[in-house]
Structures are given as structure tokens and as C-alpha cells.
Amino acid sequence: MSKSDIEGKAALVTGASKGIGKAISLSLAELGVKVAVNYNSSKAQAEEVAKEIQDAGGESLVVQADVSNLEQVTAMVDKVNDAWGQVDILVNNAGIISDGLLMRMSDEAWHRVMGVNLNGTFYCSRAVLRTMVRQRWGRIINIGSVVGIRGNMGQTNYSASKAAILGFSKSLAKEVATRNITVNVVTPGYISTETVANLTKVQKDRIMTWIPQGHFGETEDVANMVAYLVTEKASYVTGQVISVDGGMAI
């Protein structure tokens, strides 16, 4: 992909200090995009991502916010706007899990997962939309999950939050389609991140039976899809749910 498509655009990637968010940030920077690296508590790691972008000749900004907190989201977007004038590309990647069977799940576990995964997507999207509409260009990529499509035992809260993002994204895509703003969902399967690394061998072996390709994905697999969706090459792609999961959602 050529840098010329979106070079100079400004992106905000939430949950960007590690894993998939980090890979997305680096991939966008390679396209010449200025990247605001959001974190909630992993400041040092976020600063490392920003430094990696800068060392490669890119432009980056570190911004702290708990995306489930409306005031913090507003302050974060204001900071990016002050620095670069607008947010052209938003990647709603921040997400958490708090697993457990429903009959034992606490109210806090339900509301916290919904707050970060779903409310965070809503708060961040709404915060950047006005500028996108005014300039008649924008890209919103929401990171869902394969379990938002097929479900998973012990993850009713997480699965519900990710399933809700699908309907949210399709509806928003219709609202802004005439303003040259696209809204899409990328749904990763089991990707080689800290979460997968912490699984037991028994868990990994069981999950592997669900994946037709027979192996876990890499963070770059997700980042490559996001990088495509934000370019002009994907300008006619909107309201879509694209799985990056080795065939798990088939």
C-alpha cells in the first residue's frame, strides 16, 4: 500500500500499548499516519510504542484515558485535536475480559466489561464524528471478536459486548455513509498475545480443534486488515464484519 493514500492523516488507537493495538499503531505509522497511542494503565509500554514510531521517522502522541469514562475520553480527543486538528481515523481496540459462568458472574464484572468494550466504543466514536462529518472523510474500525459471533462458555459478558459492537457498527455505517465515512468491524480469533500465552496447554489444545487453519494468528494479521480498511482502496467497504480468525467463525 502506498503512503500517499492516507499519509498525514491522524489516527487514535485505543488500547494501543501492547498486543493487537500496538501492531495496529505500528502498521498505521508505516503508512505515514500520525498515531495517538492510547493507554489506561500501561504508560511505559505506550511510551515505548510511541518511541518506536518516532524512531522510524513517524509522528506519535501518547494519550491516557479509561475509555469507559466519558470525561476522560473527551479530554483525550481534545488533546489529539489540539495537537493535530482532528482525528481522521479511529480504531476502537481497547477491551477487557472478566470471565466466569453467568450464574456466578458479579454485577461489577458485567458492567465493567460492558463499560470498556461497548460504552468505550460509543464514547470514542461519538467524540470524533463531528469533525469527520464536517471534513467529509473518516474511518472508524471497531475491533470485535470471534466470540461475539459464535459465543463462548464463561464469556457471556464479553461475547455480549462484542456482539453489540456488530449492530452498533452497521447502524453507524448507515448514518454516515453519505459523508465518506466508513465504519467496519474486524473480528480477531485467537491471536498470539499475552492472553493466549497465559492459557494452559489443555486449553490451547482444545481451542486448536476449533480453528480450521490449525494455528493461532499473529497481531500483524489483524493490523494488516485494519491498514487496508483505512486506505482509499477500501473506500467502498462499509458496515462489514471481517473475521481474521483462521476460519474459526465458519
Side-chain angles (χ1 to χ4, degrees), residues 62-131:
V62 175
V63 285
Q64 191 279 332
D66 174 351
V67 298
S68 69
N69 184 302
L70 176 57
E71 290 183 357
Q72 291 185 30
V73 168
T74 301
M76 172 177 65
V77 173
D78 285 346
K79 183 174 180 179
V80 180
N81 288 340
D82 289 343
W84 295 330
Q86 71 281 322
V87 174
D88 303 296
I89 298 164
L90 171 66
V91 182
N92 284 306
N93 169 73
I96 63 169
I97 59 173
S98 184
D99 296 347
L101 297 176
L102 183 65
M103 62 184 176
R104 297 175 187 154
M105 185 173 290
S106 67
D107 291 350
E108 195 279 332
W110 176 271
H111 290 298
R112 180 61 180 155
V113 168
M114 284 295 185
V116 174
N117 299 0
L118 183 57
N119 293 352
T121 296
F122 162 58
Y123 291 149
C124 292
S125 298
R126 186 177 61 179
V128 304
L129 263 183
R130 192 173 299 277
T131 300

Side-chain angles (χ1 to χ4, degrees), residues 87-92 118 121-122 124-126 128-130 132-133 136-144 164-187 225-226 228-231 234-242:
V87 174
D88 303 296
I89 298 164
L90 171 66
V91 182
N92 284 306
L118 183 57
T121 296
F122 162 58
C124 292
S125 298
R126 186 177 61 179
V128 304
L129 263 183
R130 192 173 299 277
M132 289 183 178
V133 168
R136 300 182 70 86
W137 197 96
R139 298 285 187 267
I140 297 176
I141 311 294
N142 296 321
I143 305 301
I165 286 173
L166 308 188
F168 172 90
S169 302
K170 288 176 178 290
S171 297
L172 180 56
K174 290 183 176 182
E175 291 182 10
V176 298
T178 61
R179 296 297 187 269
N180 199 27
I181 302 168
T182 64
V183 184
N184 291 289
V185 186
V186 175
T187 56
M225 179 56 67
V226 172
Y228 165 69
L229 290 171
V230 301
T231 66
S235 62
Y236 203 54
V237 180
T238 195
Q240 300 306 302
V241 179
I242 304 170

